[in-house]
Amino acid sequence: MRWPLSWPAAGHVAEATRTVAAPPAAVWAAVVDYDAHPRWRSGLRAAVRRGDRVEETDARGDVLAVVIEAEEPERRLVTRVVDQTAFSGTWTLTLAPEGDGTRVTIVERGEIHSLVFRLLAPLFHDPQATARTWLDDLARHLE
C-alpha cells in the first residue's frame, strides 16, 4: 500500500530580484562591506568578515555563519551556510547592469534537515522573505 501523503521535500529554491538605482560598482561595494551591513540591513546587529568566513548576528543574538565560495567583483557572489544542523544551503547573488541601475538577483538553494521543521515550514516560513527584505534594504541604502 502506498502512503497517501507526500513528505515535504528537504530542498527548496527561492528567487527574488530587484532593480536598484545604482551602478554595479556601488552595489558591489555595499554588498562586500560587511562591517557596514548593520547600518542598512533590518534586523542585523553585527556582521564580521574574517577571510572567506562571514558571521552575522541578528537582533535576537543568533549567529549565522557563511563561507564565501565564489566572488566575482561587480557580477556574482556565492555564499554557503556553515555550522548549522537544522538547515544548510547557498545564496547566489548576481548583478547585471540595467539602464542606469543594477538588477540584483538572489537565488537561495536551501535544505531543511529536520522532518518536523519541513512539515512546519510552509506554515511559518516564506523562503523568499529574507531575500526580498535584503533587496529592499539594499535599495533603500543606495537610493
Side-chain angles (χ1 to χ4, degrees):
M1 183 171 151
R2 196 172 190 156
W3 183 255
L5 299 174
S6 63
W7 293 104
H12 68 271
V13 177
E15 183 174 320
T17 300
R18 175 152 186 177
T19 299
V20 177
V27 174
W28 184 260
V31 168
V32 298
D33 184 3
Y34 294 98
D35 292 338
H37 281 208
R39 291 195 295 272
W40 59 267
R41 287 183 48 204
S42 54
L44 189 65
R45 186 170 36 180
V48 177
R49 179 176 181 174
R50 292 181 189 97
D52 287 340
R53 182 182 176 93
V54 179
E55 293 181 358
E56 299 179 344
T57 305
D58 68 15
R60 294 182 314 234
D62 295 329
V63 176
L64 177 67
V66 299
V67 293
I68 297 170
E69 292 196 331
E71 198 169 15
E72 300 170 34
E74 298 181 28
R75 292 192 54 231
R76 183 171 164 265
L77 176 70
V78 180
T79 59
R80 176 175 300 282
V81 173
V82 295
D83 303 341
Q84 293 290 329
T85 57
F87 61 92
S88 61
T90 62
W91 256 35
T92 301
L93 184 137
T94 57
L95 308 180
E98 186 167 285
D100 292 335
T102 304
R103 185 178 61 251
V104 183
T105 301
I106 297 172
V107 177
E108 175 182 296
R109 288 178 174 79
E111 186 169 316
I112 301 171
H113 302 291
S114 163
L115 178 58
V116 172
F117 289 138
R118 275 200 308 264
L119 291 169
L120 296 175
L123 300 173
F124 300 103
H125 177 67
D126 173 0
Q128 292 177 320
T130 302
R132 282 194 310 264
T133 299
W134 197 97
L135 290 169
D136 290 346
D137 290 346
L138 176 68
R140 271 192 299 280
H141 172 62
L142 292 172
E143 294 175 348

